Amino acid sequence: MKYIYFFGDNKTEGKKELKELLGGKGANLAEMSNINIPIPPGFTISTIACKHYNQENNKLTDDMISEIQQNITKLEESTQKTFGDSNNPLLLSVRSGAAVSMPGMMDTILNLGLNDNVVKGLANQSNNEQFAWDSYRRFIQMFGNVVMGISHDKFETILEQIKEKKQVTYDMDLTVDALKNLVEQYKQLIKNEANQSFPQDVHKQLIQSIQAVFNSWNNQRAIKYREINDIKGLEGTAVNVQTMVFGNMGKDSATGVCFTRNPATGENSFYGEYLINAQGEDVVAGIRTPLQIKTLQKNMPDLYDQLLKTCKKLEKHYKDMQDLEFTIQNKELYMLQTRTGKRTAQAAINIAVDMVNEGLINKKEALLRIDPKQLSQLLHKQLDKNTKHNNQYLANGLPASPGAAVGKIVFSNESAIEQSKDDESVILVRNETSPEDIIGMEVASGILTAKGGMTSHAAVVARSMGKCCVSGCKEIKINEEKQTITVGSKTFLQGDFITLDGATGNVYDGKIPTVSPKLNGNFSTILEWADKSKKLQVRTNADTPRDAKKAMEFGAEGIGLCRTEHMFFEGNRIKAVRRMILAHDTKKRKEALATLKPYQKEDFINLFKIMNGKPITIRLLDPPLHEFLPKEKEEIKAFAKEMNISHEQLQKEIAQLQEVNPMLGHRGCRIGISHPEIPEMQAQALFEAAKEVAAMGIKVQPEIMIPLVGHVEEFTHQKKIITTVAKQVLNGSKNIDYKIGTMIEVPRAALRADTIAVEAEFFSFGTNDLTQMTSGFSRDDVGKFIPEYISQGLFKFDPFQTLDQTGVGELIKISVKKGKAFRSDLKLGICGEQGGEPKSIEFCHNIGLDYVSCSPYQIPIARLAAAHASLKSLNKIN
Amino acid sequence: MKYIYFFGDNKTEGKKELKELLGGKGANLAEMSNINIPIPPGFTISTIACKHYNQENNKLTDDMISEIQQNITKLEESTQKTFGDSNNPLLLSVRSGAAVSMPGMMDTILNLGLNDNVVKGLANQSNNEQFAWDSYRRFIQMFGNVVMGISHDKFETILEQIKEKKQVTYDMDLTVDALKNLVEQYKQLIKNEANQSFPQDVHKQLIQSIQAVFNSWNNQRAIKYREINDIKGLEGTAVNVQTMVFGNMGKDSATGVCFTRNPATGENSFYGEYLINAQGEDVVAGIRTPLQIKTLQKNMPDLYDQLLKTCKKLEKHYKDMQDLEFTIQNKELYMLQTRTGKRTAQAAINIAVDMVNEGLINKKEALLRIDPKQLSQLLHKQLDKNTKHNNQYLANGLPASPGAAVGKIVFSNESAIEQSKDDESVILVRNETSPEDIIGMEVASGILTAKGGMTSHAAVVARSMGKCCVSGCKEIKINEEKQTITVGSKTFLQGDFITLDGATGNVYDGKIPTVSPKLNGNFSTILEWADKSKKLQVRTNADTPRDAKKAMEFGAEGIGLCRTEHMFFEGNRIKAVRRMILAHDTKKRKEALATLKPYQKEDFINLFKIMNGKPITIRLLDPPLHEFLPKEKEEIKAFAKEMNISHEQLQKEIAQLQEVNPMLGHRGCRIGISHPEIPEMQAQALFEAAKEVAAMGIKVQPEIMIPLVGHVEEFTHQKKIITTVAKQVLNGSKNIDYKIGTMIEVPRAALRADTIAVEAEFFSFGTNDLTQMTSGFSRDDVGKFIPEYISQGLFKFDPFQTLDQTGVGELIKISVKKGKAFRSDLKLGICGEQGGEPKSIEFCHNIGLDYVSCSPYQIPIARLAAAHASLKSLNKIN
């Protein structure tokens, strides 16, 4: 069994295709070496080795140890340095690298190979004692933390004390003596905390470090990260042991991170940040605010050119925007990493379209390059440019992730979760974020950090989450203890509102109105390409003309769900609805319904006009009637007066309508069966509207949906009412093509789809209620346990956001099979909230639905996701 | 196409096997003729004719009419009389008769063939003018009512007026002149009401009457009756046209109804009632109180002997107890009907066992003779003989249907339904009942009538429903208008309590304690035979030692569902439960749980002892916690004081626990996951109890059931807690064989049974909740629509009483298939309330469950139903 793959010189054993085995970092280091990009040589211990390590109860076998030793020897030959030798020491970095990028989740150790003796040699050799001792103290700190498990803070405290004592601001300004003192204190700390000394044996250092990285594969935050990001099926992490190069060897050294194109906008211009005389961790950690890459052209023109050429070569080779790490050691450039760069949705779209235009990739590849979920960034709010908000301006930071966010200030993950429970919008405010913070970031609308750059943890994660983020906003002073922030003379408490503008990096006091973006340019191009690839129709859930218009702008191909009851709440209508509910006989109920009909008809006319020939699925009244009644005491009093009945009487009537479990109560077609005059009125309004609009020469395609059917007898009962009205109203007029179908939202309906399909012309899967009933989850009550299930790892996702394919999906499959068996042209769609979620859309494509229906803002996501689903299934077939 | 089958003399064309075609009455008349029992000749118009009649839009075709004519001619030849001839008239009865008995549901016409002319001839021929005119007025009344649709009451009013005027008590005391006057008034009534004259053409009379009987097949009460009794697949009713014989031809004539054995007790003694000088309807209608059949031996000894011999012959021929109608016309005996006699459960059992002992039938036939549902009669309450209630005695009527009933007086079906809504027990009190009353009788606990005999409508229907009934209680005077009853000087209003004793016919003032019966004698014999035939195990749902004891008496083979939360409500326990719920941390929760543990352990010890080695399925805590908290204001105050917190604080905490849809909320294993210390305590109590009882040498078989599992991850989480406790507690002690399984009550669990069966050793189908979630029916709220669905015919039954085989049953089938595919020895049972319902039990047998579990009182029913299921499926295979 071969565990280790060498890279560097002409001895490289890996290549980019071996990502599963070598991890992304390892495979790409090998690939760079293969195409003659300058890299420090090293070797990759494979993911299979990690798996075996885990299987052996976290032990490196003798085989592995001896293979490591052989590769060290190889590396010594290649570098002409010797591991542990004080005259010409080989120093190493030990880095994790899984097949899928898990930034910051696992551990890294730098400057390995230093000890009390070697550090002196390094000082001699580099002729830079300060550098040597700084490297040594960094190594001890990392080793102490990662391998020996001592809290990072304890090292930082000692460092801060010394800096204070010596009155220096930056670490690099510490004198050699100070650094020596620091090393001694660090070693003492380790002895006290770990009950053993810092190991002087460099081989021991290496073996322990490799073990620590392997162990970090299964640390809690890595497991959590894989869960959240649904990363499955990996064997483990690879470990890259690589010759150290130093960006902190003086003013002619530097280290940086760069992107071949702008990851925020997608602009085809070189982009990045670097620090002179620093190690790579300094850039990423966001402790010092780095310089823009363009300034390197001025500072080190030759190296800038070399770097730019190297980056372009890599982009062309990989045919995608690359995210790179480099180090310049004494004017010599080394690439330390290349990988596909994360990017904002805007950037993803622009890069994809540009690359098609540049002939680098084809349209299908371009589509698959864009994560549909990410599009929501573009559909997120922006500050309303028509409002003046200069007087609310507070501060400016880095525009780390676009969009706008308005919310309450919170300072911790706990508060973020707590405060956002009731759909309250929160802004997580931190000095800098760390991987632990992803939980808080997940629930926040926006993230504001006082430290860190555009590639800081906060920025990278926020972009991938599609959340607005302003980073490195130095004007803001955070007092974590007191839970306040101050900007100049103003102080804000937890719960105060602020607004972030991710496009400019501006921070504002209080709330600022936001607007939603329109699609244009490359975005439209991508969606046009998507439409050509997708098979699923994308409809919208829209109850009002306003929703319908917005949906048409976003490319809706019809309305998949129009909830007629939403038309009942506006203005005077609600009064008529309430009179209808409290009517004690059919006559009075019909009178109240007669006042409602013109409103409903008018709404239908508008919808038909806006949708201009596209199909509209209209659901008959669904919610329990008590939802329409007043709830507040004052409201009840006022309404009683209007109804001319006593307050007590009205309260009694309201109480009688209350239900123990309204979700499973008197609603949907059950109401239509108890009060047939309600669906009758709705059908009249609908067909009269259809007739009028058709007479204007506009095509109308109503699809009437009967809700909450569980038994075909219910469907037949309601269908008869509708067809009778249709005959009466449409009699003699131009033939209007309407369909009558049902929402499959009760598990029984799915199980009896064969009998229901005899009568119904379409099924629309109401996956909100179907999820509630299939799993026994009341959406209003699951807050007490589903978040806990997710945090305990019992659930991988919230079934109200992502379709529960194996449970609810199973019922849908049964319905499709049974329904189609009877009626091969049965129209099938989904109209639950999962209808706009990419994974759920892929499921819908795979089981052969005709359409998905989602909120207007989800339509672009759904269009792209539908194209992905189609392209993926074609790829599987071919 | 042959529509008509003749019977009588040697020309009989039918036989008993042609029941489907000729109806029960027709087939049996033919059969009696075949075995030389004296019957008046006639012919049967088949059910196929009825079907065709309906298909022809309620028209008799020319073919049918001519076939009727041919058979009339045949009948004239056979009887030597002529239809419509005034000298020697042939008079006919026209009676309905479907393949399944529907007593009183369809129409009958007697004395057909009389007109103004023929009546005179009949008077001459019979030499009994009074008889002739009485027959004529009866015919006009029936014809006017049944054929011409004039209310029965209108005829009765005229009759009562004349009786009053003439000052006579009984109809038969009216003089010829009075009867002639009555006929004239009846004819006038018809003319006024129907706008046409009573037809003098006898052929018209016949055709119209046949049509009326055919029409009655589809009258509302017949349809309702078929629905309630689940009578399906019949073509229609047959019509029997038969020569009239007269029990009202004088003192040497009589008519009666008898049973070959006592239908109330099963005793093998001749049993029945008759009236001298009366027509059959007089006996059944309950207007005159009839004589016991034994007195016929004294009044007409020869005819009594002849009748007895005929009855015994018929019983032997049919191998079952027969219910017969006979008429004696001038000392000549005619049998008018024989059919299998309806009987009480007690009688059914005794007759079945006796007939096996007599060698008439075998044991399997005996089992299939007893309707399991009917057994509930025997399991119903009896008056507690240990209480003295003589001082409450009010009156005595006929012991028409056994059992005891305590309830509120109601006078109408509407009040019965209204008052019984909240599980209130009601007693329906009527002068006499009619078929319309079955709705009210269905919801009543008991029925009391002032008129009518043991074979009156009230008595027959109550017996078949298994309800207590006291009939013909003349001491009670009912004022229907004022809604009162008076007994002597006492007056009772609607809502007052009375008690009925169906065993003695006694009526008592107020409530009297009742006791439940024990099984013995023939009952035990039948159940022993049933046990030998059945495959399903019958367990009980029992939460307390009291329930468990009762269940063991009834033959339970284990506990299928022990709801541990029911142990939480008693006495001081509830306080500890509440403290546990309101605990803000695990420590306090554990303290409260520690106080509960000894109680729970004690209960388990008792259960193990009582069940003595039989398996016990113990369900962990299931309901939402708020169910345990005080609801009433005073209670909340008292508890707040005890908890030493403010009333407001407690109310706030209670409010926080409230849920929108508690059925789909934080309950079942979801609580066990949030608070693992709860299942931990329960498992500790359980295993400690098991260990102690096992140490006494008693076998224990606990089956621990995790409730509300929808995802296998939930199951695994809870299972781990249980197995950990088991290891700790059972460590080193005698090996106790326990199983861990789950309740399948969430549809998702059924769909994912394959994954759950990997972990679970048994499934128990919780069909109450499974029905709620599969159909979206909140049991607490369906009262608003399920009764309406049933009355509109959308639903055939209440899915909470009888398993919804095609919906919920489909999920159960999926579970069984998927579960067994993984674990072939997966133990399967049902513990919903449908587990004691015979049709649902048959379903459980057919899909291969191992057991059903039901309430203790349903166990005998379930044992017999399980035997039925097994015997029926064997019959199908063979």
Side-chain angles (χ1 to χ4, degrees), chain A residues 656 658 660-664 670 674 714 746 748 752 774-778 781 784 788-789 804 806, chain B residues 656 660-664 670 673-674 714 746 748 752 774-778 781 784 788-789 804 806 811:
Chain A
Q656 271 172 358
Q658 289 312 311
V660 179
N661 296 290
M663 172 52 46
L664 312 175
R670 298 167 189 176
S674 301
E714 297 172 311
V746 175
R748 195 183 192 281
R752 300 291 288 152
T774 303
S775 286
F777 290 153
S778 162
D781 302 307
K784 283 183 182 141
E788 203 177 324
Y789 274 27
D804 164 23
T806 54
Chain B
Q656 272 171 359
V660 179
N661 296 291
M663 171 52 45
L664 311 175
R670 299 165 189 178
I673 290 167
S674 301
E714 296 173 311
V746 174
R748 194 182 195 284
R752 301 290 287 152
T774 303
S775 285
F777 291 153
S778 161
D781 302 307
K784 281 180 184 145
E788 204 177 324
Y789 274 27
D804 164 24
T806 55
L811 276 183

Side-chain angles (χ1 to χ4, degrees), chain A residues 682-709:
Chain A
Q682 294 200 289
Q684 282 165 354
L686 173 70
F687 287 117
E688 287 175 15
K691 194 174 163 182
E692 278 184 31
V693 175
M696 299 171 196
I698 298 169
K699 194 179 160 197
V700 290
Q701 283 197 66
E703 298 180 347
I704 301 148
M705 181 149 76
I706 300 168
L708 212 75
V709 166

Side-chain angles (χ1 to χ4, degrees), chain A residues 776-800:
Chain A
F777 290 153
S778 162
R779 249 209 311 185
D780 297 312
D781 302 307
V782 289
K784 283 183 182 141
F785 54 94
I786 283 191
E788 203 177 324
Y789 274 27
I790 291 174
S791 75
Q792 284 197 31
L794 290 177
F795 278 15
K796 301 284 176 245
F797 55 85
D798 179 342
F800 291 106

